[in-house]
Amino acid sequence: MSDSIHATVPETIAANVQHLANSAQHGCGCSYEIYQDTFSQRVDALLATTEDSTAKAAILNVAREFDYVTRAELSAMREDWMDDGACRHGLDPDCCPLGCGDL
């Protein structure tokens, strides 16, 4: 997304965020936690492509509908998971599709 007038059109923003959500869902291994992490990273990358504060606010508004979390929120969630014995992805380490139990 660029800083053009088209980047601030609500339908364009919604379509871009929907695409990020769909893409993250396909690579999450059916794990909500991995989806949320991947999706949020992709939204952060999208946010970094614009200086327009109106566009950023619109992106964040739509992204929250798809369960976007900030890096700080994700970090706090990870601490809670790990305190409960889960891996950094919120799963039992021996069941993590990313191999956390192998570490």
Side-chain angles (χ1 to χ4, degrees):
M1 181 182 279
S2 66
D3 283 329
S4 72
I5 187 74
H6 302 292
T8 59
V9 175
E11 294 80 13
T12 303
I13 289 171
N16 284 334
V17 173
Q18 175 72 54
H19 174 74
L20 294 177
N22 290 344
S23 177
Q25 187 176 27
H26 289 291
C28 71
C30 295
S31 164
Y32 172 76
E33 293 81 0
I34 294 171
Y35 158 79
Q36 193 173 37
D37 183 13
T38 302
F39 172 67
S40 297
Q41 287 181 41
R42 291 176 182 181
V43 170
D44 290 341
L46 178 61
L47 290 168
T49 67
T50 185
E51 296 297 321
D52 183 343
S53 61
T54 302
K56 285 185 178 195
I59 291 166
L60 286 171
N61 188 43
V62 173
R64 287 282 183 189
E65 295 176 22
F66 292 93
D67 297 330
Y68 168 81
V69 292
T70 65
R71 294 292 98 197
E73 291 169 329
L74 184 60
S75 180
M77 290 180 347
R78 281 187 177 146
E79 285 181 34
D80 289 343
W81 296 333
M82 293 173 83
D83 287 346
D84 291 337
C87 72
R88 66 183 299 269
H89 304 107
L91 306 167
D92 179 313
D94 294 327
C95 296
C96 180
L98 298 175
C100 287
D102 296 334
L103 301 176

